[in-house]
Amino acid sequence: NAGVMQNPRHLVRRRGQEARLRCSPMKGHSHVYWYRQLPEEGLKFMVYLQKENIIDESGMPKERFSAEFPKEGPSILRIQQVVRGDSAAYFCASSPTVEMSTEAFFGQGTRLTVV
Amino acid sequence: GIQVEQSPPDLILQEGANSTLRCNFSDSVNNLQWFHQNPWGQLINLFYIPSGTKQNGRLSATTVATERYSLLYISSSQTTDSGVYFCAVLGNQGGKLIFGQGTELSVKP
């Protein structure tokens, strides 16, 4: 029973390029949450998705960031035209229910470095 | 929204010492978890503890939901305990976990 799987583990992009981060939830989970951790800070909520729906995107920057969770395949967090300030660790969690009221497990994260 | 405050922000211990980390939250919660982020950045689940007391080896945790705080106890600390400890809560409005700023623990040999 694999946990939450994220890839890649490390991603280096030049300024202006696009970054795509993938998250496969735990088996049987249909709800995915993305968090961002800037250096020396805690985790900040970005977006919550259910299959084919965005439920809460209150933590997403208004520009350049988008997320999807298609019917088939992993959830994707997409960052267009990356800037140095996007360098961070991006974590994904999944849950079987509409909210994180049961124990939440996080993936190992993707560390994005923008050069 | 719900506020989560952790204390102390930093803690340095000699190996073998005990410590208590605190998490205060501003509203009733449906979920509270403690995580350890190791020096490699991985988030390790320690406790799922919306109320009551749990123990796992040298670690234990207590949440007093009515008084809106949780405590994480580390006994006989080891250098491998170093890292950042996060408390995260789910408020009654539901949705997502809200994280505190963490306590950075350094255990010296």
Side-chain angles (χ1 to χ4, degrees):
Chain A
N1 184 17
V4 179
M5 304 299 291
Q6 290 187 249
N7 67 82
R9 293 286 306 279
H10 301 274
L11 182 61
V12 179
R13 284 289 177 265
R14 295 186 184 279
R15 280 177 295 171
Q17 290 185 320
E18 178 179 286
R20 282 186 176 235
L21 289 62
R22 296 174 190 78
C23 170
S24 295
M26 291 179 70
K27 188 177 181 180
H29 288 190
S30 58
H31 303 264
V32 164
Y33 305 79
W34 285 94
Y35 285 75
R36 177 166 66 173
Q37 185 179 30
L38 295 170
E40 309 298 325
E41 293 189 11
L43 278 75
K44 295 288 195 292
F45 169 77
M46 298 182 75
V47 62
Y48 160 32
L49 308 104
Q50 194 177 356
K51 287 279 188 181
E52 300 184 281
N53 284 308
I54 296 175
I55 307 300
D56 179 355
E57 56 181 350
S58 58
M60 286 277 271
K62 293 290 184 279
E63 297 178 349
R64 301 188 297 107
F65 284 72
S66 62
E68 63 177 7
F69 189 15
K71 188 176 181 181
E72 300 292 336
S75 175
I76 306 287
L77 180 66
R78 182 182 178 204
I79 311 172
Q80 295 178 290
Q81 298 176 317
V82 296
V83 300
R84 289 237 171 96
D86 297 332
S87 295
Y90 292 82
F91 289 92
C92 168
S94 70
S95 75
T97 59
V98 297
E99 59 186 28
M100 301 176 94
S101 56
T102 54
E103 187 173 8
F105 291 88
F106 285 78
Q108 291 188 308
T110 293
R111 278 146 191 85
L112 172 66
T113 302
V114 179
V115 298
Chain B
I2 194 166
Q3 305 296 314
V4 183
E5 291 186 3
Q6 291 186 243
S7 60
D10 304 281
L11 186 58
I12 298 175
L13 297 176
Q14 207 64 37
E15 197 169 26
N18 303 327
S19 64
T20 301
L21 282 58
R22 188 176 180 102
C23 172
N24 291 334
F25 42 94
S26 60
D27 204 347
S28 301
V29 296
N30 288 331
N31 179 6
L32 188 145
Q33 291 186 234
W34 284 97
F35 297 89
H36 175 213
Q37 188 168 39
N38 63 23
W40 295 270
Q42 295 174 321
L43 275 173
I44 311 296
N45 285 42
L46 296 179
F47 293 102
Y48 167 70
I49 187 165
S51 64
T53 297
K54 291 186 178 180
Q55 180 152 10
N56 184 3
R58 297 181 296 103
L59 302 182
S60 65
T62 295
T63 296
V64 184
T66 53
E67 296 188 23
R68 299 180 184 171
Y69 72 88
S70 183
L71 302 174
L72 177 68
Y73 305 96
I74 304 174
S75 64
S76 305
S77 58
Q78 301 176 358
T79 56
T80 52
D81 294 333
S82 296
V84 183
Y85 289 80
F86 288 105
C87 166
V89 305
L90 175 73
N92 282 339
Q93 285 70 37
K96 64 278 187 183
L97 287 175
I98 305 299
F99 281 75
Q101 285 296 99
T103 291
E104 184 165 7
L105 175 65
S106 179
V107 181
K108 304 296 186 185

